[in-house]
Amino acid sequence: MEKLIVFLPLLGSFIAGVFGKVIGDRAAQVLTTGLLLVSAVLSIVTFKNVALDGNAYVATLFTWISSGDFTLSWALKIDTLTAVMLIVVTVVSSMVHLYSFGYMSEDKSKARFFSYLSLFTFMMLMLVTSDNLVQMFFGWEGVGLASYLLIGFWYHKESACAAAMKAFLVNRVADIGFALGIMGIFVLFGTVNFAEIFPAVPGLAEAQFSFLWFEGHALTIICLLLFIGAMGKSAQLGLHTWLPDAMEGPTPVSALIHAATMVTAGVFMLARMSPVFEFAPTALEVVTYVGAATAFFAATVGLTQFDIKRVIAYSTCSQLGYMFFAIGVSAYGGAIFHLMTHAFFKALLFLGAGSVIHAMHHEQDMRKMGGIYKLIPATYILMWIGSWALAGLPPFAGFFSKDLILEAAWADQTTHGNLAYWLGTAAAFMTAFYSWRLLIMTFHGNPRADKHTMDHVHESPMVMMIPLLVLAVGAVLSGWLGYSYFVGEVAERAAFWGDALFILPENDSVAAAHHVPTWVKLTPLVISVLGIVAAYVFYMFVPSLPETFVRIFRPVHAFLFNKWYFDELYDVLFVRPTKALGRVFWKGGDEAIIDAYGPNGAVSLTRVISAQVSKLQSGYVYHYAFAMLIGVVGLITWYIIGNAGQ
């Protein structure tokens, strides 16, 4: 069964990509979507068998690498952590496939698009089912490749090509850290198999790495390197700049990348490596600080954006920060719980935004929307559900998972845990504010689009609405249904997770979260409600307030609107120096030396010699007779000299 779950998307991708023109667009769409739906159904069955019934297992497919004493099998590790990810990836991906029937109906490259979607899904499934770090790295890099293809799908747009390249390069920078972390694991443990690494961790908890004049705690160094890899995939502060630009891809791509797949890979990887991170407290502290800073940073930027997809993209970045600081305080179950609930409501928001864009003739600027909630009421209600869940309000999914993370951060009773709680609470206020800002600007008020656009605003076709309804069910129910399993009492959590997650008893912040003071539980909820009230005041009751605030706090607004100037800073520090260095090597090295004395030099010398030799070809008989005479004289001279000593 697990083989079908993983390889059916690859089969669909291959057929659609290679034979798409033969079988036609419709057949390619139906085939890839049908196979994904089968994978989704089988994933649900697997979840029941593994997570609920406790039947975790490893399915070995074949020996992948054999070199001396080193042997590495290609195997599928199916435990509770994997089972959760299988449901999230296949359900969201299948809904994105189905949604794309309508959204991409006018595109001329449907088969190629669906092939890329299925390839992306296969790579993500390979990542989450990996039994060792090298196999995980294969899926990790495969996801990066597929994201490059999808973000740059409309390659005729220069902005899409630039965004795809940016995502690819930023992730390659982070992947150096991941690769070095894997190498460090192999040096320390002599293996890359999870089943051999995890039992050996306690015995190597005090091991040191020595390199040249540097010596440090081995597990801390390894975990920090792994975390750098996770920062790139999951767009944490500093390596986040690719995420908003990824909006250049089609909206279904945004939903797939930002909801359940690529951006959650880093969270999954750290959770999978929990037995190692638990013995590296300094690394966990760093993860907490970075996650909390990311949650706050992205929320501040989301307040000022006008592109509907970019607002949701920055909310993704912020929510990933919550997941990371949950891991930092050892609330691994809380991080995965929020990963799951977030997948449903964020995919719902992205696809809902796509429905709005579809209705508004591809308009994405919220300043050119407004007054359309009566024209597309179903989309409005579904977007409202997604926003309610994102804001963390009961009884929807985000309330259960996000509040648990904040409570766990407080319960950790550390400096970094307390900082994460307060930054996360501040981010909760901003999240609620920009979520309702989006709803009000998009659906309420006077229409700001031209009459032609408003006359043609219409609800999306049913093939686009069905995925929204399915995701809405997840956004409403997943938190309530999963709470006791993911983050409930110790015994229930232990039965659910089994050996998939490891937490030292003294680090169990999830257990402590159930006993925090009432004000700790209520503060994020009250703050979120205040954020919604503030959004109504600013954008519905007193619509002149935003402009007034921008005028009074113009430098602050400019700072936030320009995303804290990270892109400009990186342009000065990295992009321009790299281009200048490249130009030096190009002009001064490649052209002036290599080409000049290499192929170009050889060509020039050949031309000079040929020009001189060609002068001998005058066409006059007496010139040729003279040349023959010189040749004869030369031969006779050579003969006489050669035989002079005999």
Side-chain angles (χ1 to χ4, degrees):
M1 183 182 296
E2 68 285 339
K3 301 179 186 67
L4 291 176
I5 294 172
V6 174
F7 290 105
L8 283 179
L10 178 63
L11 176 63
S13 174
F14 176 79
I15 295 174
V18 176
F19 302 106
K21 291 184 178 179
V22 177
I23 64 177
D25 288 341
R26 178 58 66 180
Q29 291 173 297
V30 171
L31 175 70
T32 54
T33 305
L35 292 176
L36 248 300
L37 288 169
V38 173
S39 286
V41 172
L42 294 178
S43 295
I44 295 172
V45 175
T46 299
F47 179 83
K48 163 67 167 59
N49 178 46
V50 173
L52 301 183
D53 296 342
N55 298 317
Y57 61 95
V58 174
T60 302
L61 304 185
F62 55 85
T63 299
W64 184 23
I65 300 173
S66 181
S67 177
D69 295 333
F70 180 73
T71 301
L72 194 63
S73 296
W74 194 283
L76 305 179
K77 181 179 179 66
I78 312 296
D79 60 5
T80 300
L81 181 58
T82 301
V84 171
M85 294 301 296
L86 288 179
I87 285 187
V88 169
V89 173
T90 56
V91 170
V92 173
S93 182
S94 59
M95 292 302 100
V96 169
H97 274 70
L98 186 60
Y99 179 91
S100 299
F101 271 64
Y103 193 87
M104 302 296 288
S105 60
E106 299 177 2
D107 197 90
K108 296 179 180 179
S109 302
K110 298 183 188 69
R112 179 167 64 91
F113 180 76
F114 278 79
S115 176
Y116 288 171
L117 283 182
S118 290
L119 176 65
F120 189 103
T121 306
F122 164 72
M123 289 300 182
M124 190 66 194
L125 292 172
M126 284 305 314
L127 192 159
V128 301
T129 58
S130 55
D131 181 55
N132 58 76
L133 284 165
V134 176
Q135 187 178 330
M136 180 183 283
F137 193 72
F138 167 80
W140 191 274
E141 293 302 300
V143 167
L145 168 65
S147 68
Y148 170 80
L149 296 174
L150 285 167
I151 295 169
F153 178 76
W154 287 325
Y155 56 82
H156 57 276
K157 294 170 57 180
E158 185 177 346
S159 57
C161 293
M165 186 63 71
K166 186 176 183 179
F168 192 81
L169 291 176
V170 171
N171 276 276
R172 296 297 74 72
V173 171
D175 291 351
I176 293 173
F178 189 24
L180 290 173
I182 294 173
M183 295 174 194
I185 288 280
F186 183 74
V187 169
L188 185 62
F189 294 92
T191 180
V192 292
N193 289 302
F194 297 137
E196 298 171 9
I197 294 170
F198 297 156
V201 173
L204 295 169
E206 302 302 325
Q208 299 286 309
F209 269 157
S210 297
F211 180 72
L212 298 179
W213 60 87
F214 173 79
E215 184 171 338
H217 185 238
L219 293 182
T220 298
I221 295 169
I222 288 170
C223 288
L224 289 175
L225 290 170
L226 295 175
F227 176 54
I228 290 172
M231 284 178 66
K233 276 287 183 289
S234 296
Q236 293 301 283
L237 186 64
L239 292 172
H240 68 281
T241 53
W242 68 270
L243 191 69
D245 289 10
M247 296 299 98
E248 292 293 336
T251 298
V253 173
S254 303
L256 192 61
I257 289 177
H258 291 71
T261 51
M262 181 172 173
V263 295
T264 61
V267 179
F268 167 82
M269 186 263 283
L270 297 191
R272 173 62 79 202
M273 300 302 293
S274 59
V276 182
F277 274 84
E278 280 297 280
F279 290 90
T282 302
L284 286 176
E285 189 173 338
V286 172
V287 172
T288 306
Y289 282 126
V290 174
T294 303
F296 181 82
F297 152 77
T300 64
V301 178
L303 295 172
T304 62
Q305 302 302 301
F306 293 107
D307 185 310
I308 188 172
K309 287 172 63 176
R310 282 182 177 264
V311 173
I312 303 173
Y314 275 107
S315 81
T316 296
C317 192
S318 182
Q319 298 305 305
L320 288 166
Y322 280 92
M323 299 176 208
F324 271 87
F325 77 68
I327 287 174
V329 297
S330 297
Y332 303 99
I336 300 301
F337 186 31
H338 195 51
L339 184 156
M340 180 196 68
T341 60
H342 174 264
F344 289 115
F345 63 71
K346 189 51 61 67
L348 172 61
L349 284 171
F350 266 116
L351 296 185
S355 187
V356 171
I357 295 167
H358 183 267
M360 297 292 293
H361 289 271
H362 306 290
E363 180 59 65
Q364 296 182 198
D365 192 332
M366 296 187 298
R367 291 171 294 187
K368 299 178 181 178
M369 298 180 185
I372 61 173
Y373 77 96
K374 291 183 179 179
L375 302 176
I376 49 173
T379 298
Y380 170 63
I381 293 172
L382 291 166
M383 286 287 286
W384 187 88
I385 291 173
S387 298
W388 194 271
L390 173 61
L393 300 177
F396 296 162
F399 166 73
F400 294 94
S401 57
K402 188 164 75 174
D403 278 32
L404 185 280
I405 288 175
L406 291 171
E407 292 160 14
W410 175 268
D412 195 51
Q413 289 300 297
T414 58
T415 301
H416 53 276
N418 287 338
L419 178 66
Y421 174 81
W422 289 113
L423 288 180
T425 301
F429 173 84
M430 292 182 279
T431 300
F433 182 88
Y434 65 63
S435 295
W436 258 257
R437 171 179 178 264
L438 183 151
L439 286 175
I440 295 168
M441 290 185 69
T442 302
F443 295 100
H444 293 278
N446 297 320
R448 295 181 292 275
D450 58 80
K451 187 177 184 303
H452 174 76
T453 300
M454 292 302 299
D455 288 343
H456 291 83
V457 173
H458 59 282
E459 199 67 86
S460 297
M462 188 55 63
V463 73
M464 293 172 64
M465 297 305 295
I466 290 175
L468 292 175
L469 293 170
V470 172
L471 294 169
V473 171
V476 173
L477 298 178
S478 61
W480 174 66
L481 292 175
Y483 186 86
S484 59
Y485 292 109
F486 284 81
V487 292
E489 296 301 326
V490 175
E492 197 165 10
R493 279 189 289 129
F496 178 73
W497 288 112
D499 296 328
L501 299 177
F502 175 80
I503 306 171
L504 292 171
E506 62 269 24
N507 290 350
D508 194 352
S509 57
V510 172
H514 297 304
H515 306 289
V516 297
T518 303
W519 70 264
V520 174
K521 295 176 178 287
L522 292 179
T523 298
L525 177 60
V526 173
I527 286 291
S528 296
V529 172
L530 291 176
I532 294 173
V533 171
Y536 274 109
V537 171
F538 271 68
Y539 290 94
M540 183 172 286
F541 302 143
V542 190
S544 62
L545 268 181
E547 185 178 346
T548 303
F549 261 72
V550 170
R551 186 173 63 254
I552 296 173
F553 301 104
R554 189 172 299 279
V556 176
H557 178 268
F559 181 70
L560 300 182
F561 183 73
N562 288 284
K563 301 159 288 189
W564 292 29
Y565 293 103
F566 268 99
D567 283 313
E568 290 78 4
L569 178 64
Y570 287 176
D571 187 59
V572 172
L573 294 179
F574 304 115
V575 178
R576 292 182 188 177
T578 301
K579 285 184 176 180
L581 185 62
R583 183 171 292 276
V584 169
F585 283 121
W586 169 34
K587 292 293 185 181
D590 193 27
E591 289 188 357
I593 299 175
I594 298 174
D595 283 349
Y597 295 99
N600 290 349
V603 169
S604 298
L605 181 61
T606 302
R607 285 177 177 174
V608 171
I609 295 173
S610 299
Q612 297 302 317
V613 172
S614 67
K615 293 179 180 179
L616 298 175
Q617 304 296 321
S618 63
Y620 294 108
V621 174
Y622 65 87
H623 282 175
Y624 300 146
F626 181 69
M628 291 173 64
L629 179 61
I630 293 174
V632 170
V633 171
L635 286 172
I636 293 172
T637 302
W638 173 76
Y639 179 76
I640 292 172
I641 293 173
N643 291 280
Q646 297 181 0

